Amino acid sequence: MGTMTENNCMRCRADCVPVANLSADVPTENGPPASFVCVGFNRKEDRTVAQDRFTLCWKNGSVDERGHWDKRDLLDTMSVIAQALSTDENIRVNNNFTEHDMQQVNMVG
């Protein structure tokens, strides 16, 4: 599945300017693509919290979220995701697992 970058809001909204996004498919006449993630700048008057100048949208077949975040929210989220991916990769390599093996392992019990 390929990805594409759009310079327009994938939700066709006028209250946010995209800065970066990735989509697994293209927008349709009926609305946004089925799967995408996007970060953009929002309008000051739309913020509940004054410093939340970024809008993060995340959509796929199961999740459809949109929220306002500040820079620290985004940085902390990136940090936690990077640590989780690093830990996952260390487990995979140390156990000689394939990516398929990792999908089968029960990490919660």
Side-chain angles (χ1 to χ4, degrees):
M1 177 182 328
T3 60
M4 60 177 282
T5 300
E6 285 287 323
N7 293 325
N8 301 317
C9 175
M10 293 189 186
R11 295 183 186 273
C12 301
R13 299 178 64 103
D15 59 352
C16 182
V17 176
V19 176
N21 55 47
L22 288 174
S23 170
D25 50 3
V26 296
T28 66
E29 292 177 7
N30 299 327
S35 179
F36 67 87
V37 62
C38 181
V39 174
F41 297 120
N42 57 51
R43 297 184 308 196
K44 185 176 182 179
E45 60 270 18
D46 293 334
R47 301 174 194 157
T48 302
V49 178
Q51 68 265 25
D52 288 354
R53 72 176 183 265
F54 299 96
T55 297
L56 173 67
C57 289
W58 179 277
K59 184 175 188 308
N60 62 34
S62 302
V63 176
D64 188 351
E65 297 179 355
R66 180 179 174 275
H68 291 174
W69 298 41
D70 66 17
K71 185 186 277 187
R72 183 171 177 179
D73 293 335
L74 292 176
L75 288 169
D76 289 350
T77 300
M78 287 174 36
S79 177
V80 169
I81 290 170
Q83 181 63 46
L85 291 172
S86 177
T87 299
D88 183 73
E89 185 64 2
N90 278 300
I91 292 168
R92 188 190 70 75
V93 169
N94 289 337
N95 289 284
N96 263 344
F97 287 167
T98 64
E99 226 11 80
H100 177 75
D101 295 333
M102 291 298 286
Q103 296 298 329
Q104 311 307 311
V105 174
N106 181 359
M107 299 290 210
V108 181

